[in-house]
């Protein structure tokens, strides 16, 4: 009964947004009204939608699908925010994040060819964003674009969009969808490594960290855990993973040459609910003893508990806290030679201690 009440409470807190990503009549604006234009490459385990305005829906696909979506960021954008059009509002790129174009690819070879050209033009670097629970395709695309824009990431952006149900009551469906996506994320990472990428950074959030860790574990079992030396930063933000499961994953992966960055927050209300659903088992993303118990596995633990979040659940601080997302971007831009983790750790801790 308690779980049902919590679900109903969370469902009441969500907004009733359309999952359309392509508007029917975009308002024409001048170049000066646009703050940025970003190409987001998509590898997805979602089915293609019968509604072309949605591109992909929330159902699982039996195969990996590929696309590219161009997203514009409005001039009045504020760092850490995703300005979304509400139902009934005009498709105005001067006010809202808007998808200006979507291109589908029939298969991996065509997707790889398009990727290779973009990778070569952007310094041979790729960032893969793996979204979390309760994320529709449109929300994942806009979050990826916001992270790229606000962080100033210079490389190619790839969204791995697994088949989340996009609702607060689809937790079990999402968990199973995440598990089903492990092999496809592995295929995606290998494809990126073969498409000319010199370095592949991974930023995963919430339940997306489960998909990521399972995939890295699989790579370790094949004897190629770092993609031939191309794996760069691995950022695990608010991991929705049982602590004991995470320890097991890290033991199988082995201590990484470069520590994974683990961003957690003890006031993460979304993970508190997840822990209740898991039988009061602690999640990595809000684990009080993380530094004492997890750093020996090869992770750098950064506590964001004192940092401000933009949502009431404190679950997306890595992206919606302006100082955090900019600092993450600075690290990704500067850390081209696998620089010391002390730099990023010290800078982030200065931000959190200031309560920003």
């Amino acid at each position: 009964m308690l779980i049902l009440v919590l679900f109903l409470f969370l469902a009441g807190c969500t907004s009733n947004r359309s999952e359309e990503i392509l508007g029917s009549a975009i308002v024409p604006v001048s170049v000066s009204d646009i703050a940025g234009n970003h190409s987001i490459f998509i590898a997805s385990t979602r089915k293609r939608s019968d509604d072309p305005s949605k591109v992909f829906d929330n159902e699982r696909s039996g195969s990996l699908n590929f696309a590219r979506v161009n997203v514009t960021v409005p001039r009045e954008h504020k760092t850490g925010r995703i300005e979304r059009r509400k139902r009934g509002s005009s498709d105005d790129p001067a006010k809202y994040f808007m998808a200006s174009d979507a291109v589908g690819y029939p298969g991996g070879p065509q997707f790889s060819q398009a990727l290779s050209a973009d990778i070569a033009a952007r310094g041979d670097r790729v960032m893969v964003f793996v979204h979390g629970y309760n994320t529709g395709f449109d929300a994942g695309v806009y979050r990826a674009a916001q992270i790229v824009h606000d962080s100033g990431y210079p490389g190619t952006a790839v969204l791995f969009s697994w088949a989340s149900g996009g609702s607060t009551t689809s937790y079990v469906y999402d968990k199973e969808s995440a598990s089903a996506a492990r092999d496809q994320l592995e295929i995606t990472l290998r494809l990126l490594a073969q498409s000319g990428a010199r370095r592949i950074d991974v930023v995963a959030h919430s339940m997306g960290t489960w998909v990521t860790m399972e995939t890295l574990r699989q790579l370790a079992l094949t004897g190629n855990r770092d993609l031939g030396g191309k794996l760069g930063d691995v950022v695990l933000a608010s991991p929705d993973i049982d602590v004991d499961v995470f320890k097991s994953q890290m033991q199988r992966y082995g201590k990484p040459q470069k520590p994974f960055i683990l961003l957690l927050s003890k006031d993460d209300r979304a993970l508190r609910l997840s822990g209740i659903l898991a039988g009061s088992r602690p999640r990595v993303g809000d684990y009080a003893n993380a530094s004492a118990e997890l750093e020996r596995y090869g992770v750098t633990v950064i506590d964001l508990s004192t940092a401000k979040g933009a949502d009431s659940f404190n679950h997306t601080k890595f992206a919606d806290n302006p100082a955090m997302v900019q600092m993450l971007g600075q690290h990704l831009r500067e850390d081209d030679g696998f620089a010391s983790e002390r730099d990023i750790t010290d800078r982030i801790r200065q931000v959190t201690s200031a309560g920003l």
Side-chain angles (χ1 to χ4, degrees), residues 79-81 264-265 267-268 303-325 348 350-356:
T79 302
R81 303 282 183 88
L264 58 82
S265 185
D267 61 352
D268 191 322
D303 190 345
L304 305 181
S305 298
T306 59
K308 295 177 181 177
D311 73 282
S312 60
F313 300 113
N314 298 313
H315 191 53
T316 53
K317 292 181 181 180
F318 81 105
D320 64 27
N321 180 289
M324 269 305 309
V325 69
I348 291 178
Q350 286 174 6
V351 169
T352 56
S353 64
L356 298 176

Side-chain angles (χ1 to χ4, degrees), residues 13-329:
C13 292
T14 58
S15 59
N16 186 25
R17 282 186 178 139
S18 168
E19 293 184 348
E20 292 182 355
I21 191 167
L22 293 175
S24 56
I26 296 179
V27 176
V29 297
S30 68
V31 175
S32 62
D33 288 323
I34 303 299
N37 194 334
H38 304 282
S39 290
I40 308 298
F41 286 87
I42 315 291
S44 181
T45 60
R46 299 175 185 266
K47 285 180 61 177
R48 295 192 184 275
S49 177
D50 293 332
D51 182 348
S53 69
K54 295 182 178 181
V55 185
F56 293 106
D57 60 29
N58 297 333
E59 297 297 319
R60 299 171 192 153
S61 170
S63 59
L64 194 58
N65 291 313
F66 304 100
R68 188 194 77 242
V69 178
N70 292 337
V71 178
T72 59
V73 179
R75 180 185 58 187
E76 56 188 56
H77 167 67
K78 294 188 179 356
T79 302
R81 303 282 183 88
I82 301 177
E83 291 83 5
R84 291 290 306 270
R85 179 184 70 85
K86 291 187 172 65
R87 200 171 291 216
S89 301
S90 61
D91 297 327
D92 190 348
K95 296 180 179 179
Y96 312 115
F97 275 67
M98 296 296 301
S100 59
D101 185 30
V103 176
Y105 299 98
Q110 296 85 352
F111 182 66
S112 179
Q113 183 178 8
L115 265 176
S116 295
D118 196 81
I119 290 170
R122 296 179 183 273
D124 302 330
R125 292 188 59 173
V126 177
M127 178 175 68
V128 181
F129 174 57
V130 187
H131 65 71
Y133 152 69
N134 185 18
T135 303
F137 176 69
D138 57 329
V141 170
Y142 287 135
R143 178 63 77 186
Q146 178 256 317
I147 292 171
V148 170
H149 184 83
D150 289 345
S151 69
Y153 187 77
T156 296
V158 176
L159 168 66
F160 182 76
S161 184
W162 52 276
S164 166
S167 71
T168 53
T169 55
S170 63
Y171 188 85
V172 175
Y173 175 81
D174 278 19
K175 188 70 174 177
E176 301 302 330
S177 292
S179 296
R182 294 172 292 188
D183 291 348
Q184 304 306 323
L185 178 55
E186 179 181 349
I187 290 172
T188 299
L189 293 177
R190 291 185 184 278
L191 185 151
L192 293 173
Q194 296 164 4
S195 298
R198 170 179 55 85
R199 175 185 167 116
I200 302 169
D201 300 310
V202 180
V203 178
H205 177 235
S206 186
M207 199 176 283
T209 62
W210 157 261
V211 185
T212 300
M213 285 303 305
E214 284 292 284
T215 299
L216 293 176
R217 179 181 180 277
Q218 290 179 188
L219 287 171
L221 290 172
T222 68
N224 186 25
R225 67 175 192 164
D226 64 352
L227 298 170
K230 294 184 176 183
L231 184 64
D233 279 304
V234 174
V235 179
L236 306 172
S238 310
D240 189 2
I241 307 175
D242 180 283
V243 171
D244 292 332
V245 171
F246 181 73
K247 290 177 181 178
S248 175
Q249 290 168 328
M250 289 302 300
Q251 285 172 343
R252 174 58 69 181
Y253 184 82
K255 195 168 186 177
Q257 180 181 358
K258 181 174 187 293
F260 296 169
I261 299 174
L262 172 58
L263 304 176
L264 58 82
S265 185
K266 296 191 234 356
D267 61 352
D268 191 322
R269 296 174 61 210
L271 291 182
R272 195 174 306 157
L273 172 60
S274 176
I276 293 173
L277 294 174
S280 298
R281 296 293 307 163
R283 317 310 284 171
V284 174
D286 65 348
Y287 190 44
N289 297 325
S291 294
E293 294 187 20
L294 301 182
E295 288 194 343
R296 64 189 178 93
Y297 293 96
V299 300
T300 296
V301 177
I302 300 176
D303 190 345
L304 305 181
S305 298
T306 59
K308 295 177 181 177
D311 73 282
S312 60
F313 300 113
N314 298 313
H315 191 53
T316 53
K317 292 181 181 180
F318 81 105
D320 64 27
N321 180 289
M324 269 305 309
V325 69
Q326 290 176 335
M327 195 160 293
L328 178 62

